[in-house]
Amino acid sequence: MSEVLLDFNNVTMQFGGVTALNEVSLQIKQGEILGLIGPNGAGKTTCFNVMTGVYAPTLGTVSFEGKNLAKLKRFEITKVGIARTFQNIRLFSEMTALENVMVGADARKKASVGGAILRTSRQRHEEKESRERSMELLQFMGISDRAETAARNLPYGYQRRLEIARALATEPKLLCLDEPAAGFNPAEKEELNELILKIREQGYTVLLIEHDMNVVMKVSDRVAVLDFGQKIADGLPADVRNNPAVIAAYLGVEDNAS
Amino acid sequence: MPDWLIIRTFWELTVTGLALGSIYALVALGYTLVYGVLRLINFAHSEIFMVGTFGALLASSQFLSIPLLEDGNYPYRTGMTLIIFLVFIMLIAMLFSGIGAVVLERVAYRPLRGNGDAFGAIVLAFLTAFIVSLVFVDQAKINVIIALLATAPISYAYMRFFKQGRKAPRLAFLISAIGASTAISEAVGVWSKHGRDQYQTPRLLEKKTLFTMFGTDVRIDYAIVIVGALLMMTALTLFVNKTRLGRGVRAVAQDAETSRILGVNVDLIIIVTFALGGVMAGGAAMLFTLVYDQTRFNIGFILGVKSFTAAVLGGIGNLKGALLGGLLLGLVENYGSAIFGGQWKDVIAFVVLLVVLMFRPTGLLGESLGKARV
């Protein structure tokens, strides 16, 4: 049994009167690819936002390697090792692809005002290091040919991959991908699958939120299903696919009718 | 048309216009940087400039003990001594303005972002206690002691209040900015040595002609202002474009929320932004005293409004826009006052602004620290 990286313990998230998550417990283990699926409005993105510190849970705790995330500031959550991409692409659109990744890489560096002004040798060295590391990540994602292009001028597929490269630059232990295949054609989805597997080979743990069952079922080691803010299934892809509750949720069969 | 206007030639107006415009541009950078990052018009920035002029005054008259007049003559310095003195005075002015801007951010804006910290609370508590004690006691020393004693409990109360983490509405920031602006200038007006009177700054430099261009004598102080301002702006542009903190500033300007999730310490970046704006204003303040040899508690007001105009004219949030807007405003003002008369100077500046905004609502170069090809 491998080590638990992220522990979602009885998390309830309410917005006013709406309960977006209802006593969800979920664990992500070191080195696995966990797929999180569910119909629209099931609470996937909320789950994600709680995990990355955008919201503090109403009840319950989220801990990462034993640290309670609610006690950390948002930028510190990146430092403990959680990175994410966005469903709607949120790049720094006027910066170049390389600069976008470097902003991520900077999170690991100590910001020193004096160093920045005086251009100390350490500062220059670190700057070179970030640049090289960022370039490597662009190569890894297969988009290094457009490193100097402003993000807004990149093709859609490049933008999606750039988001992943930027998230990886923060040196996360857990990489959370929010619908990375949205808007991709089947060939591109295939490439993405390979990329996700490659990312895991590098030692990252991956949480994948995805609409597309093909992508999730192919790459995930384990799949959890949310419906109306509750976890209704959690297991191997093959088991989850045949789980009656999951089928009901996706096909819209009412519980009491079965 | 008065006589002095006829004597002035086009080129002379150009040189003085560029010098004045450089000062506008430097101050405009502060408005533009803060707007780019926080979408906030920092109206108190004009007072940061004023604090810088007093920093320059203190540096020359107190730290360097230079009198206004030595044996009835200006205390002119030359050569290396002059350069060292000028650099020293500029650094002190920058320090005053830079610290002023950072303290302003902590005390007047950060608590409103729902992010108040002990530092802001303590400063605010001290000031509150000090001002309240002034009402009852008439002796400065006792006031300070009372304020120090009262600081701890009041700052504790402020902390409780600030830490709620609620973000104040936009209007609150604006009111806070205007309040801070008035408070700073009035504080100097009331408590500085000569109060509301004008202060002369020592004239270190013989204002002779450096060289002649197009039949116009270019005075050395104007040359220093223009060159100094360009150097400072180049340094700022390099900082914003080439360093890690500069990258952070651009990232926060484009999307603060995403930056935060990527591990950018947004509060630190905001401090850096205010400090950069303050340092530029401090430089501008020193250059201003070099040309005009004077300052006053309310010197920032009109200059601040003009610089803000310059920032809007060029496109607020855009560093190149601040430069362009500043220089343009300085020139237009000078030409305009030569044609219509000096009393129309301020009117001309604002008419130009209105006309430009009618045709280009986002200013000449558009808004873009965030969308930064700075």
Side-chain angles (χ1 to χ4, degrees), chain A residues 74-75 78 84 90 92-95 99 102-103 106-107 109-110 113 116 126-127 166 170, chain B residues 239 242-245 247 250-251 254-255 257-265 370-372:
Chain A
R74 236 170 285 177
F75 72 90
T78 312
R84 68 171 292 183
R90 284 170 74 172
F92 301 117
S93 55
E94 303 291 323
M95 289 190 191
E99 281 182 320
M102 286 174 80
V103 171
D106 290 344
K109 301 285 193 295
K110 224 178 123 37
V113 181
E126 283 189 356
E127 184 76 6
R166 187 177 66 174
T170 64
Chain B
F239 183 86
K242 300 286 178 201
T243 66
R244 192 185 310 147
L245 281 169
R247 195 154 52 231
R250 282 184 294 149
Q254 286 187 46
D255 187 342
E257 199 47 46
T258 305
S259 311
R260 192 172 279 132
I261 290 170
L262 275 169
V264 177
N265 184 346
K371 298 166 195 156

mmCIF file of all heavy atoms in Angstrom, chain A residues 74-75 78 84 90 92-95 99 102-103 106-107 109-110 113 116 126-127 166 170, chain B residues 239 242-245 247 250-251 254-255 257-265 370-372:
data_model
loop_
_atom_site.group_PDB
_atom_site.id
_atom_site.type_symbol
_atom_site.label_atom_id
_atom_site.label_comp_id
_atom_site.label_asym_id
_atom_site.label_seq_id
_atom_site.Cartn_x
_atom_site.Cartn_y
_atom_site.Cartn_z
ATOM 1 N N ARG A 74 -2.727 30.924 0.075
ATOM 2 C CA ARG A 74 -2.866 30.312 -1.235
ATOM 3 C C ARG A 74 -1.528 30.084 -1.930
ATOM 4 O O ARG A 74 -1.310 29.058 -2.542
ATOM 5 C CB ARG A 74 -3.780 31.154 -2.111
ATOM 6 C CG ARG A 74 -4.924 30.315 -2.612
ATOM 7 C CD ARG A 74 -5.950 31.167 -3.269
ATOM 8 N NE ARG A 74 -6.727 31.899 -2.285
ATOM 9 C CZ ARG A 74 -7.652 32.768 -2.601
ATOM 10 N NH1 ARG A 74 -7.890 33.024 -3.868
ATOM 11 N NH2 ARG A 74 -8.330 33.378 -1.678
ATOM 12 N N PHE A 75 -0.638 31.067 -1.844
ATOM 13 C CA PHE A 75 0.627 30.865 -2.554
ATOM 14 C C PHE A 75 1.484 29.814 -1.863
ATOM 15 O O PHE A 75 2.367 29.227 -2.478
ATOM 16 C CB PHE A 75 1.388 32.181 -2.746
ATOM 17 C CG PHE A 75 1.995 32.762 -1.504
ATOM 18 C CD1 PHE A 75 3.281 32.416 -1.122
ATOM 19 C CD2 PHE A 75 1.288 33.650 -0.727
ATOM 20 C CE1 PHE A 75 3.844 32.961 0.023
ATOM 21 C CE2 PHE A 75 1.843 34.191 0.408
ATOM 22 C CZ PHE A 75 3.112 33.845 0.795
ATOM 23 N N THR A 78 1.032 26.137 -3.214
ATOM 24 C CA THR A 78 1.928 25.772 -4.316
ATOM 25 C C THR A 78 3.248 25.273 -3.763
ATOM 26 O O THR A 78 3.836 24.321 -4.263
ATOM 27 C CB THR A 78 2.189 27.005 -5.199
ATOM 28 O OG1 THR A 78 0.948 27.626 -5.474
ATOM 29 C CG2 THR A 78 2.864 26.602 -6.483
ATOM 30 N N ARG A 84 -1.941 23.155 -10.382
ATOM 31 C CA ARG A 84 -3.158 22.868 -11.125
ATOM 32 C C ARG A 84 -3.181 23.560 -12.485
ATOM 33 O O ARG A 84 -2.465 24.520 -12.731
ATOM 34 C CB ARG A 84 -4.389 23.311 -10.343
ATOM 35 C CG ARG A 84 -4.500 24.805 -10.197
ATOM 36 C CD ARG A 84 -5.826 25.202 -9.619
ATOM 37 N NE ARG A 84 -6.904 24.935 -10.555
ATOM 38 C CZ ARG A 84 -8.169 25.237 -10.343
ATOM 39 N NH1 ARG A 84 -8.529 25.796 -9.202
ATOM 40 N NH2 ARG A 84 -9.087 24.985 -11.239
ATOM 41 N N ARG A 90 -6.128 29.770 -18.388
ATOM 42 C CA ARG A 90 -5.787 31.040 -17.742
ATOM 43 C C ARG A 90 -4.296 31.284 -17.813
ATOM 44 O O ARG A 90 -3.602 31.283 -16.808
ATOM 45 C CB ARG A 90 -6.268 31.030 -16.291
ATOM 46 C CG ARG A 90 -7.765 31.224 -16.191
ATOM 47 C CD ARG A 90 -8.262 30.989 -14.809
ATOM 48 N NE ARG A 90 -7.930 32.063 -13.898
ATOM 49 C CZ ARG A 90 -8.415 32.126 -12.663
ATOM 50 N NH1 ARG A 90 -9.235 31.204 -12.222
ATOM 51 N NH2 ARG A 90 -8.076 33.109 -11.875
ATOM 52 N N PHE A 92 -0.942 33.755 -18.801
ATOM 53 C CA PHE A 92 -0.637 35.188 -18.848
ATOM 54 C C PHE A 92 -0.486 35.519 -20.323
ATOM 55 O O PHE A 92 0.562 35.313 -20.917
ATOM 56 C CB PHE A 92 0.637 35.488 -18.072
ATOM 57 C CG PHE A 92 0.548 35.077 -16.639
ATOM 58 C CD1 PHE A 92 1.382 34.112 -16.118
ATOM 59 C CD2 PHE A 92 -0.399 35.657 -15.807
ATOM 60 C CE1 PHE A 92 1.286 33.726 -14.799
ATOM 61 C CE2 PHE A 92 -0.505 35.268 -14.480
ATOM 62 C CZ PHE A 92 0.339 34.309 -13.976
ATOM 63 N N SER A 93 -1.567 36.024 -20.913
ATOM 64 C CA SER A 93 -1.678 35.976 -22.364
ATOM 65 C C SER A 93 -0.677 36.865 -23.087
ATOM 66 O O SER A 93 -0.339 36.602 -24.224
ATOM 67 C CB SER A 93 -3.101 36.317 -22.786
ATOM 68 O OG SER A 93 -3.465 37.556 -22.237
ATOM 69 N N GLU A 94 -0.196 37.926 -22.429
ATOM 70 C CA GLU A 94 0.728 38.813 -23.118
ATOM 71 C C GLU A 94 2.188 38.423 -22.896
ATOM 72 O O GLU A 94 3.091 39.053 -23.419
ATOM 73 C CB GLU A 94 0.527 40.269 -22.676
ATOM 74 C CG GLU A 94 -0.870 40.793 -22.878
ATOM 75 C CD GLU A 94 -1.224 40.958 -24.348
ATOM 76 O OE1 GLU A 94 -0.351 41.338 -25.133
ATOM 77 O OE2 GLU A 94 -2.384 40.692 -24.695
ATOM 78 N N MET A 95 2.419 37.425 -22.057
ATOM 79 C CA MET A 95 3.803 36.997 -21.860
ATOM 80 C C MET A 95 4.106 35.864 -22.833
ATOM 81 O O MET A 95 3.203 35.174 -23.305
ATOM 82 C CB MET A 95 3.989 36.465 -20.443
ATOM 83 C CG MET A 95 3.945 37.515 -19.385
ATOM 84 S SD MET A 95 4.484 36.741 -17.854
ATOM 85 C CE MET A 95 4.070 37.997 -16.699
ATOM 86 N N GLU A 99 8.115 32.707 -20.648
ATOM 87 C CA GLU A 99 7.906 33.521 -19.445
ATOM 88 C C GLU A 99 6.788 32.957 -18.576
ATOM 89 O O GLU A 99 6.875 32.977 -17.348
ATOM 90 C CB GLU A 99 7.571 34.963 -19.826
ATOM 91 C CG GLU A 99 8.765 35.786 -20.209
ATOM 92 C CD GLU A 99 8.405 37.227 -20.548
ATOM 93 O OE1 GLU A 99 7.358 37.445 -21.208
ATOM 94 O OE2 GLU A 99 9.147 38.115 -20.152
ATOM 95 N N MET A 102 8.243 30.334 -16.640
ATOM 96 C CA MET A 102 9.186 30.866 -15.654
ATOM 97 C C MET A 102 8.484 31.440 -14.430
ATOM 98 O O MET A 102 9.007 31.369 -13.320
ATOM 99 C CB MET A 102 10.103 31.905 -16.301
ATOM 100 C CG MET A 102 11.155 31.261 -17.191
ATOM 101 S SD MET A 102 12.128 32.457 -18.106
ATOM 102 C CE MET A 102 13.284 32.989 -16.849
ATOM 103 N N VAL A 103 7.295 32.016 -14.629
ATOM 104 C CA VAL A 103 6.537 32.504 -13.466
ATOM 105 C C VAL A 103 6.289 31.337 -12.515
ATOM 106 O O VAL A 103 6.423 31.462 -11.295
ATOM 107 C CB VAL A 103 5.202 33.155 -13.893
ATOM 108 C CG1 VAL A 103 4.331 33.440 -12.677
ATOM 109 C CG2 VAL A 103 5.453 34.437 -14.643
ATOM 110 N N ASP A 106 9.511 30.405 -10.752
ATOM 111 C CA ASP A 106 9.905 31.394 -9.741
ATOM 112 C C ASP A 106 9.358 31.054 -8.361
ATOM 113 O O ASP A 106 9.923 31.457 -7.345
ATOM 114 C CB ASP A 106 9.394 32.785 -10.131
ATOM 115 C CG ASP A 106 10.134 33.347 -11.333
ATOM 116 O OD1 ASP A 106 11.199 32.812 -11.656
ATOM 117 O OD2 ASP A 106 9.624 34.298 -11.939
ATOM 118 N N ALA A 107 8.256 30.326 -8.324
ATOM 119 C CA ALA A 107 7.638 30.000 -7.042
ATOM 120 C C ALA A 107 8.613 29.268 -6.134
ATOM 121 O O ALA A 107 8.518 29.337 -4.910
ATOM 122 C CB ALA A 107 6.393 29.143 -7.264
ATOM 123 N N LYS A 109 11.851 29.802 -6.082
ATOM 124 C CA LYS A 109 13.047 30.593 -5.804
ATOM 125 C C LYS A 109 12.743 31.613 -4.724
ATOM 126 O O LYS A 109 11.626 32.066 -4.592
ATOM 127 C CB LYS A 109 13.495 31.320 -7.082
ATOM 128 C CG LYS A 109 13.802 30.390 -8.231
ATOM 129 C CD LYS A 109 15.141 29.702 -7.995
ATOM 130 C CE LYS A 109 15.664 29.006 -9.226
ATOM 131 N NZ LYS A 109 14.841 27.885 -9.674
ATOM 132 N N LYS A 110 13.767 31.958 -3.988
ATOM 133 C CA LYS A 110 13.571 32.977 -2.982
ATOM 134 C C LYS A 110 13.612 34.340 -3.658
ATOM 135 O O LYS A 110 14.567 34.650 -4.361
ATOM 136 C CB LYS A 110 14.674 32.898 -1.931
ATOM 137 C CG LYS A 110 14.125 33.032 -0.524
ATOM 138 C CD LYS A 110 15.207 32.900 0.505
ATOM 139 C CE LYS A 110 15.293 34.101 1.409
ATOM 140 N NZ LYS A 110 14.078 34.743 1.789
ATOM 141 N N VAL A 113 14.675 41.271 -3.156
ATOM 142 C CA VAL A 113 14.603 42.565 -3.821
ATOM 143 C C VAL A 113 16.005 43.091 -4.087
ATOM 144 O O VAL A 113 16.334 43.542 -5.181
ATOM 145 C CB VAL A 113 13.813 43.579 -2.956
ATOM 146 C CG1 VAL A 113 13.721 44.912 -3.665
ATOM 147 C CG2 VAL A 113 12.425 43.048 -2.684
ATOM 148 N N ALA A 116 17.652 41.343 -6.908
ATOM 149 C CA ALA A 116 17.107 41.693 -8.211
ATOM 150 C C ALA A 116 17.679 43.016 -8.706
ATOM 151 O O ALA A 116 17.933 43.193 -9.886
ATOM 152 C CB ALA A 116 15.586 41.777 -8.139
ATOM 153 N N GLU A 126 20.424 31.823 -10.737
ATOM 154 C CA GLU A 126 19.064 31.283 -10.570
ATOM 155 C C GLU A 126 18.198 31.582 -11.778
ATOM 156 O O GLU A 126 17.385 30.770 -12.200
ATOM 157 C CB GLU A 126 18.411 31.876 -9.317
ATOM 158 C CG GLU A 126 18.922 31.241 -8.052
ATOM 159 C CD GLU A 126 18.120 31.672 -6.843
ATOM 160 O OE1 GLU A 126 17.213 32.524 -6.987
ATOM 161 O OE2 GLU A 126 18.401 31.166 -5.751
ATOM 162 N N GLU A 127 18.387 32.782 -12.314
ATOM 163 C CA GLU A 127 17.613 33.190 -13.488
ATOM 164 C C GLU A 127 17.921 32.251 -14.656
ATOM 165 O O GLU A 127 17.013 31.800 -15.354
ATOM 166 C CB GLU A 127 17.985 34.640 -13.828
ATOM 167 C CG GLU A 127 17.200 35.244 -14.961
ATOM 168 C CD GLU A 127 15.783 35.640 -14.549
ATOM 169 O OE1 GLU A 127 15.461 35.554 -13.354
ATOM 170 O OE2 GLU A 127 15.014 36.006 -15.444
ATOM 171 N N ARG A 166 3.485 24.960 -17.233
ATOM 172 C CA ARG A 166 3.590 25.996 -16.205
ATOM 173 C C ARG A 166 3.329 25.399 -14.821
ATOM 174 O O ARG A 166 4.010 25.729 -13.853
ATOM 175 C CB ARG A 166 2.587 27.114 -16.505
ATOM 176 C CG ARG A 166 2.713 28.312 -15.617
ATOM 177 C CD ARG A 166 1.739 29.396 -16.008
ATOM 178 N NE ARG A 166 0.358 28.978 -15.781
ATOM 179 C CZ ARG A 166 -0.691 29.783 -15.933
ATOM 180 N NH1 ARG A 166 -0.523 31.029 -16.331
ATOM 181 N NH2 ARG A 166 -1.901 29.347 -15.711
ATOM 182 N N THR A 170 6.288 24.520 -11.132
ATOM 183 C CA THR A 170 6.281 24.805 -9.696
ATOM 184 C C THR A 170 6.781 23.602 -8.891
ATOM 185 O O THR A 170 6.719 23.605 -7.672
ATOM 186 C CB THR A 170 4.868 25.188 -9.197
ATOM 187 O OG1 THR A 170 4.011 24.058 -9.365
ATOM 188 C CG2 THR A 170 4.304 26.364 -9.959
ATOM 189 N N PHE B 239 14.093 46.359 -15.039
ATOM 190 C CA PHE B 239 13.685 45.624 -13.844
ATOM 191 C C PHE B 239 12.389 44.856 -14.104
ATOM 192 O O PHE B 239 12.281 43.673 -13.797
ATOM 193 C CB PHE B 239 13.486 46.595 -12.675
ATOM 194 C CG PHE B 239 13.130 45.915 -11.386
ATOM 195 C CD1 PHE B 239 14.125 45.445 -10.550
ATOM 196 C CD2 PHE B 239 11.803 45.732 -11.013
ATOM 197 C CE1 PHE B 239 13.806 44.808 -9.369
ATOM 198 C CE2 PHE B 239 11.478 45.092 -9.834
ATOM 199 C CZ PHE B 239 12.483 44.636 -9.009
ATOM 200 N N LYS B 242 13.130 42.105 -17.012
ATOM 201 C CA LYS B 242 14.212 41.132 -16.981
ATOM 202 C C LYS B 242 14.389 40.400 -15.647
ATOM 203 O O LYS B 242 15.148 39.449 -15.590
ATOM 204 C CB LYS B 242 15.551 41.826 -17.320
ATOM 205 C CG LYS B 242 15.588 42.467 -18.677
ATOM 206 C CD LYS B 242 15.697 41.421 -19.777
ATOM 207 C CE LYS B 242 15.681 42.102 -21.132
ATOM 208 N NZ LYS B 242 15.290 41.205 -22.214
ATOM 209 N N THR B 243 13.758 40.859 -14.599
ATOM 210 C CA THR B 243 14.022 40.186 -13.330
ATOM 211 C C THR B 243 12.821 39.358 -12.897
ATOM 212 O O THR B 243 11.721 39.506 -13.417
ATOM 213 C CB THR B 243 14.321 41.194 -12.202
ATOM 214 O OG1 THR B 243 13.134 41.939 -11.961
ATOM 215 C CG2 THR B 243 15.453 42.123 -12.574
ATOM 216 N N ARG B 244 13.098 38.515 -11.915
ATOM 217 C CA ARG B 244 12.064 37.618 -11.424
ATOM 218 C C ARG B 244 10.925 38.411 -10.785
ATOM 219 O O ARG B 244 9.751 38.151 -11.027
ATOM 220 C CB ARG B 244 12.687 36.688 -10.397
ATOM 221 C CG ARG B 244 11.803 35.535 -10.041
ATOM 222 C CD ARG B 244 12.432 34.748 -8.940
ATOM 223 N NE ARG B 244 13.813 34.444 -9.247
ATOM 224 C CZ ARG B 244 14.762 34.344 -8.330
ATOM 225 N NH1 ARG B 244 14.492 34.554 -7.069
ATOM 226 N NH2 ARG B 244 15.982 34.041 -8.666
ATOM 227 N N LEU B 245 11.301 39.418 -9.975
ATOM 228 C CA LEU B 245 10.247 40.216 -9.341
ATOM 229 C C LEU B 245 9.448 40.985 -10.385
ATOM 230 O O LEU B 245 8.231 41.113 -10.275
ATOM 231 C CB LEU B 245 10.857 41.187 -8.324
ATOM 232 C CG LEU B 245 11.222 40.560 -6.989
ATOM 233 C CD1 LEU B 245 12.054 41.532 -6.163
ATOM 234 C CD2 LEU B 245 9.976 40.162 -6.218
ATOM 235 N N ARG B 247 8.902 40.034 -13.380
ATOM 236 C CA ARG B 247 8.015 39.056 -14.013
ATOM 237 C C ARG B 247 6.790 38.848 -13.132
ATOM 238 O O ARG B 247 5.665 38.739 -13.611
ATOM 239 C CB ARG B 247 8.784 37.755 -14.199
ATOM 240 C CG ARG B 247 8.151 36.779 -15.123
ATOM 241 C CD ARG B 247 9.188 35.859 -15.741
ATOM 242 N NE ARG B 247 10.029 35.229 -14.747
ATOM 243 C CZ ARG B 247 11.362 35.223 -14.791
ATOM 244 N NH1 ARG B 247 11.996 35.813 -15.769
ATOM 245 N NH2 ARG B 247 12.057 34.644 -13.849
ATOM 246 N N ARG B 250 4.401 41.698 -13.588
ATOM 247 C CA ARG B 250 3.607 41.579 -14.818
ATOM 248 C C ARG B 250 2.552 40.484 -14.682
ATOM 249 O O ARG B 250 1.424 40.635 -15.155
ATOM 250 C CB ARG B 250 4.525 41.293 -16.008
ATOM 251 C CG ARG B 250 5.233 42.556 -16.496
ATOM 252 C CD ARG B 250 6.057 42.261 -17.718
ATOM 253 N NE ARG B 250 7.152 41.357 -17.420
ATOM 254 C CZ ARG B 250 7.650 40.482 -18.273
ATOM 255 N NH1 ARG B 250 7.139 40.372 -19.481
ATOM 256 N NH2 ARG B 250 8.650 39.710 -17.915
ATOM 257 N N ALA B 251 2.945 39.388 -14.039
ATOM 258 C CA ALA B 251 1.995 38.284 -13.883
ATOM 259 C C ALA B 251 0.793 38.731 -13.043
ATOM 260 O O ALA B 251 -0.360 38.488 -13.406
ATOM 261 C CB ALA B 251 2.680 37.083 -13.245
ATOM 262 N N GLN B 254 -1.553 40.940 -14.880
ATOM 263 C CA GLN B 254 -2.421 40.270 -15.853
ATOM 264 C C GLN B 254 -3.512 39.465 -15.182
ATOM 265 O O GLN B 254 -4.642 39.437 -15.635
ATOM 266 C CB GLN B 254 -1.605 39.360 -16.753
ATOM 267 C CG GLN B 254 -0.807 40.140 -17.751
ATOM 268 C CD GLN B 254 -0.123 39.243 -18.748
ATOM 269 O OE1 GLN B 254 -0.708 38.330 -19.286
ATOM 270 N NE2 GLN B 254 1.129 39.521 -18.987
ATOM 271 N N ASP B 255 -3.182 38.761 -14.131
ATOM 272 C CA ASP B 255 -4.162 37.894 -13.496
ATOM 273 C C ASP B 255 -3.679 37.545 -12.090
ATOM 274 O O ASP B 255 -2.923 36.603 -11.898
ATOM 275 C CB ASP B 255 -4.350 36.629 -14.342
ATOM 276 C CG ASP B 255 -5.490 35.752 -13.829
ATOM 277 O OD1 ASP B 255 -5.902 35.933 -12.669
ATOM 278 O OD2 ASP B 255 -5.946 34.895 -14.602
ATOM 279 N N GLU B 257 -5.220 36.340 -9.509
ATOM 280 C CA GLU B 257 -5.704 35.089 -8.929
ATOM 281 C C GLU B 257 -4.866 33.901 -9.408
ATOM 282 O O GLU B 257 -4.428 33.067 -8.621
ATOM 283 C CB GLU B 257 -7.178 34.911 -9.338
ATOM 284 C CG GLU B 257 -7.950 33.941 -8.485
ATOM 285 C CD GLU B 257 -7.746 34.175 -7.008
ATOM 286 O OE1 GLU B 257 -7.807 35.339 -6.564
ATOM 287 O OE2 GLU B 257 -7.507 33.178 -6.292
ATOM 288 N N THR B 258 -4.634 33.850 -10.716
ATOM 289 C CA THR B 258 -3.825 32.768 -11.265
ATOM 290 C C THR B 258 -2.399 32.844 -10.721
ATOM 291 O O THR B 258 -1.803 31.815 -10.390
ATOM 292 C CB THR B 258 -3.813 32.837 -12.802
ATOM 293 O OG1 THR B 258 -5.153 32.834 -13.252
ATOM 294 C CG2 THR B 258 -3.077 31.672 -13.403
ATOM 295 N N SER B 259 -1.869 34.049 -10.612
ATOM 296 C CA SER B 259 -0.507 34.195 -10.082
ATOM 297 C C SER B 259 -0.428 33.598 -8.693
ATOM 298 O O SER B 259 0.525 32.904 -8.350
ATOM 299 C CB SER B 259 -0.116 35.665 -9.984
ATOM 300 O OG SER B 259 -0.387 36.328 -11.166
ATOM 301 N N ARG B 260 -1.448 33.882 -7.889
ATOM 302 C CA ARG B 260 -1.449 33.404 -6.512
ATOM 303 C C ARG B 260 -1.450 31.876 -6.495
ATOM 304 O O ARG B 260 -0.696 31.256 -5.741
ATOM 305 C CB ARG B 260 -2.687 33.948 -5.805
ATOM 306 C CG ARG B 260 -2.667 33.769 -4.317
ATOM 307 C CD ARG B 260 -3.818 34.490 -3.670
ATOM 308 N NE ARG B 260 -3.558 35.902 -3.508
ATOM 309 C CZ ARG B 260 -4.414 36.858 -3.848
ATOM 310 N NH1 ARG B 260 -5.561 36.560 -4.406
ATOM 311 N NH2 ARG B 260 -4.113 38.115 -3.644
ATOM 312 N N ILE B 261 -2.257 31.285 -7.363
ATOM 313 C CA ILE B 261 -2.323 29.825 -7.408
ATOM 314 C C ILE B 261 -1.005 29.237 -7.907
ATOM 315 O O ILE B 261 -0.623 28.141 -7.530
ATOM 316 C CB ILE B 261 -3.527 29.389 -8.277
ATOM 317 C CG1 ILE B 261 -4.802 29.722 -7.522
ATOM 318 C CG2 ILE B 261 -3.461 27.909 -8.605
ATOM 319 C CD1 ILE B 261 -6.052 29.581 -8.329
ATOM 320 N N LEU B 262 -0.284 30.016 -8.719
ATOM 321 C CA LEU B 262 1.016 29.537 -9.188
ATOM 322 C C LEU B 262 2.125 29.774 -8.173
ATOM 323 O O LEU B 262 3.295 29.584 -8.463
ATOM 324 C CB LEU B 262 1.389 30.230 -10.482
ATOM 325 C CG LEU B 262 0.819 29.577 -11.720
ATOM 326 C CD1 LEU B 262 1.017 30.470 -12.906
ATOM 327 C CD2 LEU B 262 1.484 28.231 -11.958
ATOM 328 N N GLY B 263 1.759 30.260 -6.992
ATOM 329 C CA GLY B 263 2.766 30.408 -5.955
ATOM 330 C C GLY B 263 3.424 31.770 -5.923
ATOM 331 O O GLY B 263 4.438 31.957 -5.255
ATOM 332 N N VAL B 264 2.860 32.753 -6.636
ATOM 333 C CA VAL B 264 3.407 34.107 -6.543
ATOM 334 C C VAL B 264 2.884 34.747 -5.257
ATOM 335 O O VAL B 264 1.687 34.687 -4.989
ATOM 336 C CB VAL B 264 2.986 34.959 -7.765
ATOM 337 C CG1 VAL B 264 3.487 36.378 -7.631
ATOM 338 C CG2 VAL B 264 3.492 34.326 -9.043
ATOM 339 N N ASN B 265 3.782 35.316 -4.488
ATOM 340 C CA ASN B 265 3.381 35.996 -3.258
ATOM 341 C C ASN B 265 2.850 37.380 -3.633
ATOM 342 O O ASN B 265 3.604 38.338 -3.746
ATOM 343 C CB ASN B 265 4.592 36.093 -2.326
ATOM 344 C CG ASN B 265 4.236 36.691 -0.993
ATOM 345 O OD1 ASN B 265 3.157 37.264 -0.828
ATOM 346 N ND2 ASN B 265 5.130 36.569 -0.038
ATOM 347 N N GLY B 370 -0.489 44.918 -17.587
ATOM 348 C CA GLY B 370 -0.858 43.519 -17.633
ATOM 349 C C GLY B 370 -0.636 42.978 -19.027
ATOM 350 O O GLY B 370 0.061 42.006 -19.225
ATOM 351 N N LYS B 371 -1.260 43.657 -19.968
ATOM 352 C CA LYS B 371 -1.091 43.216 -21.340
ATOM 353 C C LYS B 371 0.250 43.773 -21.790
ATOM 354 O O LYS B 371 0.332 44.634 -22.646
ATOM 355 C CB LYS B 371 -2.201 43.782 -22.208
ATOM 356 C CG LYS B 371 -3.557 43.295 -21.776
ATOM 357 C CD LYS B 371 -4.633 44.128 -22.413
ATOM 358 C CE LYS B 371 -5.948 43.901 -21.709
ATOM 359 N NZ LYS B 371 -6.849 45.031 -21.888
ATOM 360 N N ALA B 372 1.328 43.248 -21.129
ATOM 361 C CA ALA B 372 2.502 44.087 -21.106
ATOM 362 C C ALA B 372 3.506 43.827 -22.196
ATOM 363 O O ALA B 372 4.284 42.917 -22.115
ATOM 364 C CB ALA B 372 3.198 43.943 -19.770
#
